[in-house]
Amino acid sequence: MRKIFFISASIIEYDGRLRELIEVSKSIGETYYLTRSNSVTPIDEHHIIFTSRGPSTYINFLLFCFKTARKIGKFDVIWADNRKALIPSFLIARLRKHPILIQDARELYMFGDVRHFIGKIGCLVEIMLNRKFDIIICANKERAEIMKRYYHLRMMPLVFENVRKLEFDGTVDDAAFEERYQMSKDKARWKIISTSGCDLDRGIEQLVEAVGRLGEEYSLYIFGNSSMKQEDFIERKIMEIEYKNIHIFGPLKQDELKYAIGMCDIGVVNYHAKDMNNKYCASGKLYEFIFEGVPVITTENPSLKALCERFEVGISCNDYQSAIRKLTEEYEYYQGKAREMSKKISVKSNRAGLKHHVVKALETIERDRSGKYPEVV
């Protein structure tokens, strides 16, 4: 059995794609996975938690990766989750007997799209190291084609769609949840949920204005991480215009998020189109809504628009107010289509597809490195 060292700097409780990738990795081989976590208790005996915080966090992360690699001992594959894991994965591989390198490239930020210095460094790291990895995975076909051209890759990246379904883990306290969010006490006919926080670039200001103008029959629940500056801006706007139907909260764990979505009628999936990463978004949020039978309103990004048009699970339109009105007027139709799609897609099949392609690629690389080929009869 292959031994895999999976490296991620993400918080596992809040990262659905990370959890899915780890499950695929476990199905391929014995997987030791290093992640951040809100808990001090590992999920299982192979889970290693990185806990450092502060200005030297990334340096500490690098050192922790090296220390963990020594403890694990020999392994056949290093799987890097996103750009922060690229450097430790590559350096550890250089110090070992060249384990096979896999990278999940979940972001698609181009050097010219990024304004801040740290982001540009990250782009340069990807430009230098992406071609050094044996297998690259991304989130949709559009991204795969762009990456192959931009990074001059030898092979087309594998595609692993963000098909994910929220699960209850048994820790959600219904009474405590209701006491905090009071969603069941909301008398609005239509409850709308957005899980992108107060990100102004994604059009949250326009969404707040649209729902506010629609009146008391509509409520908007905003969950997710936000900067203090952006959250303060939206809260001031709500107070100034005296909207009573907008509610802002922080991020939720997956069982809480599943509960919240189940209490709502419409899910909003919103991205901007100012850079390639957002323009060609591969949203797992959309699938989270669909699996709960909740139709969606999305921005007009190509991948979101194509999915809405193909499966008719919602409306792709940047005019939130008209989209909400149209969807509620034909709600039973769109809800039926969302439920229909939820029966056609499968998290298990999505995992199995990636496993098949990764194993096939691993076998080819292992055969090429060993020089052993099957005999031709």
Side-chain angles (χ1 to χ4, degrees):
M1 177 182 281
R2 297 181 185 89
K3 196 171 181 180
I4 302 170
F5 181 22
F6 190 107
I7 302 174
S8 176
S10 295
I11 300 173
I12 193 167
E13 289 88 352
Y14 296 132
D15 195 326
R17 184 174 178 87
L18 170 59
R19 294 192 298 270
E20 287 299 307
L21 288 168
I22 289 170
E23 289 303 314
V24 174
S25 181
K26 286 180 177 180
S27 71
I28 294 171
E30 183 183 13
T31 299
Y32 292 79
Y33 54 110
L34 185 160
T35 76
R36 290 169 61 202
S37 174
N38 282 335
S39 172
V40 295
T41 306
I43 293 171
D44 56 42
E45 61 181 348
H46 288 344
H47 183 205
I48 304 106
I49 299 174
F50 172 68
T51 58
S52 178
R53 298 287 188 274
S56 301
T57 297
Y58 191 66
I59 298 299
N60 292 335
F61 176 68
L62 292 175
L63 295 174
F64 189 74
C65 289
F66 284 111
K67 187 184 297 184
T68 303
R70 284 199 301 271
K71 287 183 179 179
I72 294 172
K74 183 181 178 182
F75 41 82
D76 309 293
V77 178
I78 301 179
W79 193 320
D81 175 49
N82 215 1
R83 60 163 59 167
K84 286 185 178 179
L86 284 178
I87 293 175
S89 299
F90 177 72
L91 293 178
I92 291 169
R94 292 295 297 268
L95 296 172
R96 297 298 184 100
K97 292 184 178 180
H98 296 287
I100 295 171
L101 285 168
I102 301 175
Q103 183 210 166
D104 180 59
R106 66 176 64 191
E107 310 290 359
L108 188 62
Y109 288 114
M110 305 304 185
F111 188 83
D113 291 338
V114 179
R115 299 172 189 171
H116 54 283
F117 179 69
I118 298 298
K120 286 188 177 293
I121 290 176
C123 290
L124 288 174
V125 169
E126 288 181 319
I127 290 169
M128 290 187 293
L129 295 186
N130 275 353
R131 295 187 69 207
K132 307 289 186 181
F133 279 68
D134 302 291
I135 301 169
I136 294 180
I137 303 164
C138 66
N140 61 33
K141 292 179 181 178
E142 293 89 348
R143 288 174 176 239
E145 292 169 358
I146 292 167
M147 287 184 68
K148 188 173 188 305
R149 292 195 307 269
Y150 185 76
Y151 296 113
H152 305 289
L153 302 176
R154 297 186 300 275
M155 303 292 291
M156 184 72 76
L158 303 179
V159 173
F160 184 55
E161 295 272 357
N162 280 324
V163 178
R164 59 179 185 248
K165 184 178 182 180
L166 298 168
E167 302 287 351
F168 284 126
D169 64 8
T171 62
V172 65
D173 184 333
D174 293 3
F177 188 93
E178 280 302 325
E179 184 178 351
R180 181 178 180 187
Y181 302 110
Q182 300 187 14
M183 296 179 78
S184 64
K185 296 178 182 178
D186 190 340
K187 302 302 181 184
R189 169 62 185 88
W190 302 104
K191 297 184 184 71
I192 303 165
I193 182 170
S194 170
T195 59
S196 301
C198 295
D199 191 333
L200 297 176
D201 283 337
R202 291 190 176 190
I204 192 65
E205 182 180 3
Q206 291 77 14
L207 178 61
V208 165
E209 289 175 347
V211 178
R213 286 195 299 266
L214 285 168
E216 61 184 16
E217 285 196 359
Y218 299 80
S219 281
L220 173 63
Y221 288 85
I222 302 170
F223 295 98
N225 286 310
S226 308
S227 69
M228 288 294 294
K229 184 177 180 180
Q230 290 184 327
E231 189 169 325
D232 287 345
F233 177 85
I234 294 298
E235 287 182 340
R236 283 199 308 272
K237 188 175 190 68
I238 292 168
M239 291 176 65
E240 288 169 5
I241 308 178
E242 297 184 345
Y243 290 146
K244 305 294 185 183
N245 57 345
I246 313 295
H247 315 279
I248 301 174
F249 302 99
L252 299 175
K253 294 188 297 183
Q254 74 159 326
D255 55 343
E256 293 176 326
L257 182 56
K258 180 179 175 68
Y259 189 92
I261 292 173
M263 296 292 292
C264 293
D265 306 290
I266 300 168
V268 177
V269 182
N270 49 344
Y271 290 83
H272 62 74
K274 298 176 183 178
D275 55 50
M276 300 292 269
N277 186 59
N278 283 278
K279 182 177 181 179
Y280 295 100
C281 58
S283 179
K285 299 178 188 299
L286 188 144
Y287 289 103
E288 289 172 351
F289 293 137
I290 296 303
F291 273 120
E292 300 304 317
V294 174
V296 296
I297 288 170
T298 79
T299 42
E300 297 176 33
N301 304 68
S303 53
L304 299 178
K305 191 175 184 68
L307 194 145
C308 283
E309 290 178 351
R310 179 183 175 189
F311 294 101
E312 300 179 279
V313 294
I315 298 170
S316 179
C317 179
N318 291 336
D319 183 343
Y320 292 120
Q321 190 167 334
S322 65
I324 292 169
R325 279 182 171 153
K326 182 178 179 182
L327 195 149
T328 53
E329 287 170 2
E330 303 177 58
Y331 187 77
E332 288 186 5
Y333 176 81
Y334 287 110
Q335 185 184 49
K337 288 293 185 179
R339 290 173 175 172
E340 185 180 308
M341 181 182 173
S342 71
K343 295 175 182 177
K344 292 180 179 178
I345 55 178
S346 164
V347 171
K348 187 176 180 180
S349 296
N350 195 45
R351 290 177 186 168
L354 180 62
K355 176 186 176 181
H356 170 77
H357 291 297
V358 170
V359 168
K360 188 176 179 181
L362 287 172
E363 289 173 347
T364 300
I365 295 165
E366 289 163 349
R367 187 169 59 244
D368 289 344
R369 289 186 178 183
S370 68
K372 296 178 181 179
Y373 296 88
E375 293 183 9
V376 178
V377 179

